[in-house]
Amino acid sequence: MLAELMYGRSYAALEADAPMAALNLDSRNVTFESEYYMATDDAKFQRVKPLLWLWKSVDLTPLGHNPLFGIPLRRILAGYIFKSVGRDFKCWQNVEFSVGYNMEVGDDVVIHRNVLLDDIGGIELHDGASVSDYVNIYSHTHSVLDGPDVTLRKTVIGRGARLTYHSTILAGSVVSDDAILATHALLRGDIEPHGIAMGLPAKTTRLKIREAGPVEGIDSRTFAPEPARKANPQFPEPTPNQTKRVEEAEEVLLSPRMGFVAGKR
């Protein structure tokens, strides 16, 4: 399919005329970053790898940038790659997944351009969730003490939640139903239902005016997250304390001869 879409000829004809171009279309000749991860389930990933390569490659073509072709194709591929996907899924071009098979997507979900979905630890996008351009959603963390000490935490985005431009959601965060994460915000916790969170780190500073009533879907105040999992079993569980508070803060002092030098209060 890639040979026909990108070069207008069969794979066999392309292999005979331009073997290097042909070899680059075959996912068996390509290595994904996630294949270096200890947490990647190789059997699951090898099953979806050709479809992910088709997705990524088509996105670089004019057809991939044409919504009338690209969006329906991605919707079909998602049904074979994701753990689950609902109706009317809409995904624009240049969206990256870590493994793809840990994505759980509800109905009427929209993902815009250049989004990173690090689903190695699992990502849930519930009905009507909207992910704007250049959003990053993570589901793993690294220990400060040891980089290879990786913890997997599922990240959950509730119904009708909106993650706006260039925002970042760290692993294990829960964005409740009808909540908003503001542009350029960094979320390392939860947002309550109808909340609007902004800042670095993001805090809920406003609430939408809604009728009072219980939330039947995702409510971070009562949500029971899945237990975190260690990707590398050689590291202890749970992760030990990684930093300590500096009792005597240092400040920068000005030396007339040497310029700025480190000093203490």
PDB file of all heavy atoms in Angstrom, residues 4 8 14 50 66 72 78 87 94 106-107 113 124 153 192 209-210 216-218 221 254 257-258:
ATOM      1  N   GLU A   4       2.359   1.965  -3.416  1.00  0.00           N
ATOM      2  CA  GLU A   4       1.388   2.519  -4.361  1.00  0.00           C
ATOM      3  C   GLU A   4       1.049   3.965  -4.022  1.00  0.00           C
ATOM      4  O   GLU A   4       0.904   4.809  -4.910  1.00  0.00           O
ATOM      5  CB  GLU A   4       0.134   1.647  -4.360  1.00  0.00           C
ATOM      6  CG  GLU A   4       0.385   0.252  -4.946  1.00  0.00           C
ATOM      7  CD  GLU A   4      -0.814  -0.660  -4.783  1.00  0.00           C
ATOM      8  OE1 GLU A   4      -1.775  -0.270  -4.095  1.00  0.00           O
ATOM      9  OE2 GLU A   4      -0.786  -1.781  -5.343  1.00  0.00           O
ATOM     10  N   GLY A   8       3.512   5.283  -6.576  1.00  0.00           N
ATOM     11  CA  GLY A   8       2.659   4.992  -7.720  1.00  0.00           C
ATOM     12  C   GLY A   8       2.987   3.706  -8.445  1.00  0.00           C
ATOM     13  O   GLY A   8       2.765   3.596  -9.651  1.00  0.00           O
ATOM     14  N   LEU A  14       8.850  -1.410  -7.302  1.00  0.00           N
ATOM     15  CA  LEU A  14       9.712  -0.457  -6.596  1.00  0.00           C
ATOM     16  C   LEU A  14      10.981  -1.139  -6.104  1.00  0.00           C
ATOM     17  O   LEU A  14      12.080  -0.574  -6.183  1.00  0.00           O
ATOM     18  CB  LEU A  14       8.949   0.153  -5.421  1.00  0.00           C
ATOM     19  CG  LEU A  14       9.712   1.200  -4.605  1.00  0.00           C
ATOM     20  CD1 LEU A  14       9.995   2.441  -5.451  1.00  0.00           C
ATOM     21  CD2 LEU A  14       8.925   1.578  -3.353  1.00  0.00           C
ATOM     22  N   PRO A  50       3.521  -2.884  11.976  1.00  0.00           N
ATOM     23  CA  PRO A  50       3.307  -2.524  10.568  1.00  0.00           C
ATOM     24  C   PRO A  50       2.211  -1.483  10.378  1.00  0.00           C
ATOM     25  O   PRO A  50       2.309  -0.630   9.487  1.00  0.00           O
ATOM     26  CB  PRO A  50       2.919  -3.863   9.922  1.00  0.00           C
ATOM     27  CG  PRO A  50       3.434  -4.909  10.845  1.00  0.00           C
ATOM     28  CD  PRO A  50       3.334  -4.330  12.210  1.00  0.00           C
ATOM     29  N   ASN A  66      -4.786  15.225   3.668  1.00  0.00           N
ATOM     30  CA  ASN A  66      -6.150  15.434   3.177  1.00  0.00           C
ATOM     31  C   ASN A  66      -7.122  14.807   4.172  1.00  0.00           C
ATOM     32  O   ASN A  66      -7.166  13.583   4.304  1.00  0.00           O
ATOM     33  CB  ASN A  66      -6.306  14.788   1.799  1.00  0.00           C
ATOM     34  CG  ASN A  66      -7.707  14.957   1.238  1.00  0.00           C
ATOM     35  OD1 ASN A  66      -8.602  15.495   1.889  1.00  0.00           O
ATOM     36  ND2 ASN A  66      -7.912  14.481   0.023  1.00  0.00           N
ATOM     37  N   PRO A  72     -10.407   9.058   7.903  1.00  0.00           N
ATOM     38  CA  PRO A  72     -11.003   7.717   7.847  1.00  0.00           C
ATOM     39  C   PRO A  72      -9.969   6.594   7.911  1.00  0.00           C
ATOM     40  O   PRO A  72     -10.222   5.557   8.525  1.00  0.00           O
ATOM     41  CB  PRO A  72     -11.742   7.716   6.500  1.00  0.00           C
ATOM     42  CG  PRO A  72     -12.031   9.156   6.233  1.00  0.00           C
ATOM     43  CD  PRO A  72     -10.845   9.891   6.770  1.00  0.00           C
ATOM     44  N   ALA A  78      -6.886   2.627  13.882  1.00  0.00           N
ATOM     45  CA  ALA A  78      -7.047   2.654  15.339  1.00  0.00           C
ATOM     46  C   ALA A  78      -7.812   1.434  15.838  1.00  0.00           C
ATOM     47  O   ALA A  78      -7.532   0.911  16.922  1.00  0.00           O
ATOM     48  CB  ALA A  78      -7.765   3.934  15.767  1.00  0.00           C
ATOM     49  N   ARG A  87     -16.847   5.153  18.451  1.00  0.00           N
ATOM     50  CA  ARG A  87     -17.302   5.626  17.151  1.00  0.00           C
ATOM     51  C   ARG A  87     -16.820   7.061  16.886  1.00  0.00           C
ATOM     52  O   ARG A  87     -16.551   7.832  17.811  1.00  0.00           O
ATOM     53  CB  ARG A  87     -18.828   5.571  17.060  1.00  0.00           C
ATOM     54  CG  ARG A  87     -19.544   6.523  17.995  1.00  0.00           C
ATOM     55  CD  ARG A  87     -21.061   6.508  17.788  1.00  0.00           C
ATOM     56  NE  ARG A  87     -21.702   7.493  18.640  1.00  0.00           N
ATOM     57  CZ  ARG A  87     -22.128   7.253  19.878  1.00  0.00           C
ATOM     58  NH1 ARG A  87     -21.967   6.046  20.390  1.00  0.00           N
ATOM     59  NH2 ARG A  87     -22.689   8.198  20.591  1.00  0.00           N
ATOM     60  N   ASN A  94       0.311  13.491  12.033  1.00  0.00           N
ATOM     61  CA  ASN A  94       1.544  13.612  12.826  1.00  0.00           C
ATOM     62  C   ASN A  94       1.311  13.440  14.320  1.00  0.00           C
ATOM     63  O   ASN A  94       1.898  14.156  15.137  1.00  0.00           O
ATOM     64  CB  ASN A  94       2.241  14.945  12.547  1.00  0.00           C
ATOM     65  CG  ASN A  94       2.598  15.117  11.078  1.00  0.00           C
ATOM     66  OD1 ASN A  94       2.909  14.152  10.389  1.00  0.00           O
ATOM     67  ND2 ASN A  94       2.537  16.337  10.588  1.00  0.00           N
ATOM     68  N   GLY A 106     -12.719   6.620  23.736  1.00  0.00           N
ATOM     69  CA  GLY A 106     -14.175   6.543  23.698  1.00  0.00           C
ATOM     70  C   GLY A 106     -14.759   7.096  22.418  1.00  0.00           C
ATOM     71  O   GLY A 106     -14.081   7.233  21.396  1.00  0.00           O
ATOM     72  N   ASP A 107     -16.042   7.422  22.467  1.00  0.00           N
ATOM     73  CA  ASP A 107     -16.755   7.954  21.307  1.00  0.00           C
ATOM     74  C   ASP A 107     -16.443   9.438  21.109  1.00  0.00           C
ATOM     75  O   ASP A 107     -16.247  10.187  22.073  1.00  0.00           O
ATOM     76  CB  ASP A 107     -18.272   7.795  21.498  1.00  0.00           C
ATOM     77  CG  ASP A 107     -18.713   6.344  21.599  1.00  0.00           C
ATOM     78  OD1 ASP A 107     -17.978   5.460  21.091  1.00  0.00           O
ATOM     79  OD2 ASP A 107     -19.782   6.090  22.191  1.00  0.00           O
ATOM     80  N   ARG A 113      -3.204  17.948  15.566  1.00  0.00           N
ATOM     81  CA  ARG A 113      -1.880  17.705  14.978  1.00  0.00           C
ATOM     82  C   ARG A 113      -0.758  17.707  16.011  1.00  0.00           C
ATOM     83  O   ARG A 113      -0.812  18.385  17.015  1.00  0.00           O
ATOM     84  CB  ARG A 113      -1.572  18.781  13.938  1.00  0.00           C
ATOM     85  CG  ARG A 113      -2.564  18.874  12.782  1.00  0.00           C
ATOM     86  CD  ARG A 113      -2.320  20.124  11.980  1.00  0.00           C
ATOM     87  NE  ARG A 113      -2.472  21.309  12.817  1.00  0.00           N
ATOM     88  CZ  ARG A 113      -1.662  22.361  12.784  1.00  0.00           C
ATOM     89  NH1 ARG A 113      -0.623  22.370  11.985  1.00  0.00           N
ATOM     90  NH2 ARG A 113      -1.876  23.397  13.568  1.00  0.00           N
ATOM     91  N   GLU A 124      -6.273   6.683  28.866  1.00  0.00           N
ATOM     92  CA  GLU A 124      -7.708   6.636  28.603  1.00  0.00           C
ATOM     93  C   GLU A 124      -8.174   8.015  28.157  1.00  0.00           C
ATOM     94  O   GLU A 124      -7.919   9.004  28.837  1.00  0.00           O
ATOM     95  CB  GLU A 124      -8.491   6.220  29.845  1.00  0.00           C
ATOM     96  CG  GLU A 124      -8.276   4.790  30.287  1.00  0.00           C
ATOM     97  CD  GLU A 124      -9.108   4.440  31.512  1.00  0.00           C
ATOM     98  OE1 GLU A 124     -10.021   5.242  31.864  1.00  0.00           O
ATOM     99  OE2 GLU A 124      -8.857   3.388  32.123  1.00  0.00           O
ATOM    100  N   ARG A 153       2.307   4.652  35.086  1.00  0.00           N
ATOM    101  CA  ARG A 153       1.059   5.104  35.702  1.00  0.00           C
ATOM    102  C   ARG A 153       0.074   5.486  34.609  1.00  0.00           C
ATOM    103  O   ARG A 153       0.374   6.337  33.768  1.00  0.00           O
ATOM    104  CB  ARG A 153       1.306   6.318  36.608  1.00  0.00           C
ATOM    105  CG  ARG A 153       2.174   6.054  37.822  1.00  0.00           C
ATOM    106  CD  ARG A 153       2.235   7.280  38.727  1.00  0.00           C
ATOM    107  NE  ARG A 153       2.974   7.033  39.954  1.00  0.00           N
ATOM    108  CZ  ARG A 153       4.274   7.252  40.104  1.00  0.00           C
ATOM    109  NH1 ARG A 153       4.972   7.747  39.086  1.00  0.00           N
ATOM    110  NH2 ARG A 153       4.866   7.002  41.248  1.00  0.00           N
ATOM    111  N   GLU A 192     -10.399  18.726  39.057  1.00  0.00           N
ATOM    112  CA  GLU A 192     -11.734  18.321  39.475  1.00  0.00           C
ATOM    113  C   GLU A 192     -12.746  18.542  38.357  1.00  0.00           C
ATOM    114  O   GLU A 192     -12.469  19.256  37.385  1.00  0.00           O
ATOM    115  CB  GLU A 192     -12.148  19.093  40.718  1.00  0.00           C
ATOM    116  CG  GLU A 192     -12.259  20.599  40.503  1.00  0.00           C
ATOM    117  CD  GLU A 192     -12.516  21.329  41.807  1.00  0.00           C
ATOM    118  OE1 GLU A 192     -13.691  21.378  42.223  1.00  0.00           O
ATOM    119  OE2 GLU A 192     -11.537  21.835  42.404  1.00  0.00           O
ATOM    120  N   ILE A 209     -19.457  27.435  35.279  1.00  0.00           N
ATOM    121  CA  ILE A 209     -20.759  27.566  35.927  1.00  0.00           C
ATOM    122  C   ILE A 209     -21.659  26.467  35.380  1.00  0.00           C
ATOM    123  O   ILE A 209     -22.103  26.499  34.236  1.00  0.00           O
ATOM    124  CB  ILE A 209     -21.369  28.952  35.672  1.00  0.00           C
ATOM    125  CG1 ILE A 209     -20.443  30.036  36.245  1.00  0.00           C
ATOM    126  CG2 ILE A 209     -22.754  29.049  36.301  1.00  0.00           C
ATOM    127  CD1 ILE A 209     -20.901  31.440  35.940  1.00  0.00           C
ATOM    128  N   ARG A 210     -21.884  25.460  36.195  1.00  0.00           N
ATOM    129  CA  ARG A 210     -22.719  24.315  35.814  1.00  0.00           C
ATOM    130  C   ARG A 210     -23.753  24.076  36.911  1.00  0.00           C
ATOM    131  O   ARG A 210     -23.568  24.473  38.072  1.00  0.00           O
ATOM    132  CB  ARG A 210     -21.877  23.050  35.654  1.00  0.00           C
ATOM    133  CG  ARG A 210     -20.775  23.149  34.609  1.00  0.00           C
ATOM    134  CD  ARG A 210     -21.331  23.219  33.211  1.00  0.00           C
ATOM    135  NE  ARG A 210     -20.330  22.876  32.215  1.00  0.00           N
ATOM    136  CZ  ARG A 210     -20.403  23.200  30.943  1.00  0.00           C
ATOM    137  NH1 ARG A 210     -21.470  23.879  30.491  1.00  0.00           N
ATOM    138  NH2 ARG A 210     -19.466  22.836  30.096  1.00  0.00           N
ATOM    139  N   GLU A 216     -21.162  11.375  37.084  1.00  0.00           N
ATOM    140  CA  GLU A 216     -21.288   9.933  36.918  1.00  0.00           C
ATOM    141  C   GLU A 216     -20.072   9.307  36.242  1.00  0.00           C
ATOM    142  O   GLU A 216     -19.912   8.101  36.242  1.00  0.00           O
ATOM    143  CB  GLU A 216     -22.548   9.619  36.099  1.00  0.00           C
ATOM    144  CG  GLU A 216     -23.842  10.069  36.758  1.00  0.00           C
ATOM    145  CD  GLU A 216     -25.056   9.777  35.910  1.00  0.00           C
ATOM    146  OE1 GLU A 216     -24.867   9.267  34.791  1.00  0.00           O
ATOM    147  OE2 GLU A 216     -26.177  10.052  36.367  1.00  0.00           O
ATOM    148  N   GLY A 217     -19.218  10.137  35.656  1.00  0.00           N
ATOM    149  CA  GLY A 217     -18.071   9.599  34.942  1.00  0.00           C
ATOM    150  C   GLY A 217     -16.793   9.713  35.752  1.00  0.00           C
ATOM    151  O   GLY A 217     -16.696   9.206  36.872  1.00  0.00           O
ATOM    152  N   ILE A 218     -15.790  10.402  35.183  1.00  0.00           N
ATOM    153  CA  ILE A 218     -14.489  10.538  35.830  1.00  0.00           C
ATOM    154  C   ILE A 218     -14.486  11.739  36.761  1.00  0.00           C
ATOM    155  O   ILE A 218     -14.661  12.875  36.340  1.00  0.00           O
ATOM    156  CB  ILE A 218     -13.373  10.685  34.766  1.00  0.00           C
ATOM    157  CG1 ILE A 218     -13.373   9.487  33.814  1.00  0.00           C
ATOM    158  CG2 ILE A 218     -12.015  10.834  35.442  1.00  0.00           C
ATOM    159  CD1 ILE A 218     -13.130   8.156  34.483  1.00  0.00           C
ATOM    160  N   ARG A 221     -11.751  13.382  42.411  1.00  0.00           N
ATOM    161  CA  ARG A 221     -11.859  13.386  43.868  1.00  0.00           C
ATOM    162  C   ARG A 221     -12.219  12.015  44.420  1.00  0.00           C
ATOM    163  O   ARG A 221     -11.940  11.721  45.591  1.00  0.00           O
ATOM    164  CB  ARG A 221     -12.902  14.418  44.298  1.00  0.00           C
ATOM    165  CG  ARG A 221     -12.560  15.852  43.884  1.00  0.00           C
ATOM    166  CD  ARG A 221     -13.733  16.785  44.032  1.00  0.00           C
ATOM    167  NE  ARG A 221     -14.859  16.389  43.194  1.00  0.00           N
ATOM    168  CZ  ARG A 221     -15.988  17.078  43.059  1.00  0.00           C
ATOM    169  NH1 ARG A 221     -16.122  18.226  43.723  1.00  0.00           N
ATOM    170  NH2 ARG A 221     -16.958  16.651  42.286  1.00  0.00           N
ATOM    171  N   LEU A 254      27.537  38.828  43.808  1.00  0.00           N
ATOM    172  CA  LEU A 254      28.292  39.561  42.806  1.00  0.00           C
ATOM    173  C   LEU A 254      29.664  39.921  43.352  1.00  0.00           C
ATOM    174  O   LEU A 254      29.793  40.594  44.373  1.00  0.00           O
ATOM    175  CB  LEU A 254      27.552  40.830  42.393  1.00  0.00           C
ATOM    176  CG  LEU A 254      28.258  41.702  41.344  1.00  0.00           C
ATOM    177  CD1 LEU A 254      28.436  40.920  40.049  1.00  0.00           C
ATOM    178  CD2 LEU A 254      27.483  42.976  41.086  1.00  0.00           C
ATOM    179  N   ARG A 257      35.395  41.648  41.076  1.00  0.00           N
ATOM    180  CA  ARG A 257      36.498  41.261  40.180  1.00  0.00           C
ATOM    181  C   ARG A 257      36.138  40.041  39.339  1.00  0.00           C
ATOM    182  O   ARG A 257      36.577  39.929  38.206  1.00  0.00           O
ATOM    183  CB  ARG A 257      37.749  40.950  41.011  1.00  0.00           C
ATOM    184  CG  ARG A 257      38.310  42.175  41.738  1.00  0.00           C
ATOM    185  CD  ARG A 257      39.590  41.844  42.437  1.00  0.00           C
ATOM    186  NE  ARG A 257      40.591  41.388  41.481  1.00  0.00           N
ATOM    187  CZ  ARG A 257      41.780  40.893  41.825  1.00  0.00           C
ATOM    188  NH1 ARG A 257      42.099  40.779  43.100  1.00  0.00           N
ATOM    189  NH2 ARG A 257      42.642  40.523  40.899  1.00  0.00           N
ATOM    190  N   MET A 258      35.334  39.109  39.897  1.00  0.00           N
ATOM    191  CA  MET A 258      35.115  37.826  39.218  1.00  0.00           C
ATOM    192  C   MET A 258      33.724  37.735  38.607  1.00  0.00           C
ATOM    193  O   MET A 258      33.390  36.744  37.984  1.00  0.00           O
ATOM    194  CB  MET A 258      35.324  36.680  40.208  1.00  0.00           C
ATOM    195  CG  MET A 258      36.727  36.641  40.792  1.00  0.00           C
ATOM    196  SD  MET A 258      36.922  35.277  41.957  1.00  0.00           S
ATOM    197  CE  MET A 258      36.694  33.871  40.867  1.00  0.00           C
TER     198      MET A 258
END
